[in-house]
C-alpha cells in the first residue's frame, strides 16, 4: 500500500495541468514543468483533483506509484510557490560572491571555485557567508545546492565547510581528548 501514491493532489487556482498520453505539463504563475509518467502508472484528473493508480501490486509498481505522485505534487508546488535552499559557509576566510552570472567561492583552496548560473535557477548572495538557491524544480534546486556543498562539505572536528541552513554537524573530539 502506497500512502503517498494514494493521496489526492489538489490543483490550486491559477495552475493548469495538461495530459497528453503519458506526458504531463504543469503551468503556473512561476513557470512551466514537464514530466513523463511511467506507462505502468495511470493518472486520473477529476476537476481540480488528480490521483494515480498502478497496474500491479509488485514492489516495482508500488515504488513507481509513490514516486510519480510525489514528483507531480512537487511540480504543482514548484509552479505555485517555488523551492529554495540556503547554504551557510563556516570557516575563517570563507566567502561567496556573485558577479554577473557567476558564483565565486573562496573556501580555502589555492584558487577560487566558480559556478555558472543554471537555467531556471536563481542564485543570490545576501552576505558573504550565505548562498540562496531558488527555482521551480525541486530536483534542480537540490542538485545545484548539493554540488555547491560538495566543494567543501562540513568536517566533524572544527565544523568548517559549506552546510545547509539548519544542518547539524556531529562534532568529534580531536586526538587529544581522552
Amino acid at each position: 500500500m502506497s500512502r503517498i501514491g494514494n493521496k489526492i493532489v489538489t490543483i490550486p487556482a491559477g495552475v493548469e495541468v495538461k495530459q497528453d498520453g503519458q506526458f504531463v505539463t504543469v503551468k503556473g504563475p512561476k513557470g512551466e514543468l514537464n514530466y513523463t509518467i511511467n506507462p505502468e502508472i495511470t493518472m486520473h484528473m477529476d476537476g481540480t483533483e488528480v490521483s494515480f493508480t498502478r497496474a500491479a501490486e509488485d514492489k516495482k509498481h508500488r515504488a513507481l506509484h509513490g514516486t510519480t505522485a510525489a514528483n507531480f505534487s512537487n511540480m504543482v508546488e514548484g509552479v505555485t510557490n517555488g523551492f529554495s535552499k540556503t547554504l551557510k559557509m563556516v570557516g575563517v576566510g570563507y566567502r561567496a560572491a556573485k558577479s554577473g552570472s557567476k558564483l565565486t567561492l573562496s573556501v580555502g583552496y589555492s584558487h577560487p571555485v566558480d559556478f555558472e548560473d543554471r537555467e531556471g535557477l536563481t542564485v543570490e548572495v545576501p552576505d558573504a557567508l550565505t548562498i540562496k538557491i531558488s527555482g521551480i524544480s525541486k530536483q534542480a534546486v537540490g542538485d545545484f545546492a548539493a554540488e555547491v556543498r560538495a566543494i567543501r562539505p562540513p568536517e566533524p572536528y572544527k565544523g568548517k565547510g559549506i552546510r545547509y541552513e539548519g544542518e547539524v554537524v556531529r562534532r568529534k573530539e580531536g586526538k587529544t581528548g581522552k
Side-chain angles (χ1 to χ4, degrees):
M1 201 74 180
S2 172
R3 281 181 254 152
I4 294 172
N6 288 331
K7 281 187 181 175
I8 294 173
V9 180
T10 305
I11 308 299
V15 176
E16 184 181 319
V17 178
K18 290 182 187 170
Q19 182 182 13
D20 184 24
Q22 297 304 111
F23 191 74
V24 177
T25 303
V26 179
K27 192 174 187 177
K30 290 201 176 262
E32 181 178 322
L33 291 171
N34 302 313
Y35 184 65
T36 304
I37 297 174
N38 190 296
E40 309 287 330
I41 305 296
T42 309
M43 179 175 149
H44 305 284
M45 289 180 58
D46 182 34
T48 62
E49 294 182 342
V50 176
S51 61
F52 297 91
T53 57
R54 56 183 177 249
E57 288 296 319
D58 61 336
K59 187 175 182 177
K60 175 188 166 195
H61 289 95
R62 288 194 313 264
L64 277 173
H65 189 205
T67 301
T68 303
N71 285 342
F72 181 78
S73 179
N74 286 338
M75 289 170 60
V76 171
E77 178 72 23
V79 298
T80 308
N81 302 322
F83 294 99
S84 70
K85 285 210 180 258
T86 305
L87 300 169
K88 295 285 188 181
M89 301 172 74
V90 177
V92 176
Y94 286 14
R95 65 184 174 277
K98 178 90 163 121
S99 60
S101 66
K102 191 187 294 187
L103 173 67
T104 305
L105 304 177
S106 299
V107 286
Y109 293 124
S110 61
H111 58 281
V113 181
D114 295 331
F115 287 97
E116 287 293 326
D117 277 357
R118 304 269 171 88
E119 186 179 337
L121 295 181
T122 305
V123 180
E124 300 169 5
V125 182
D127 61 71
L129 298 176
T130 307
I131 304 164
K132 185 173 183 196
I133 302 163
S134 55
I136 61 171
S137 171
K138 187 173 188 176
Q139 181 178 352
V141 170
D143 285 348
F144 189 67
E147 223 174 282
V148 171
R149 182 183 179 273
I151 294 300
R152 187 66 93 173
E155 56 97 16
Y157 296 102
K158 291 185 179 178
K160 292 170 37 172
I162 303 172
R163 60 179 82 172
Y164 297 114
E165 187 176 47
E167 179 181 4
V168 177
V169 178
R170 271 188 69 194
R171 301 293 296 270
K172 293 182 178 179
E173 269 187 73
K175 61 185 178 182
T176 57
K178 277 198 168 191

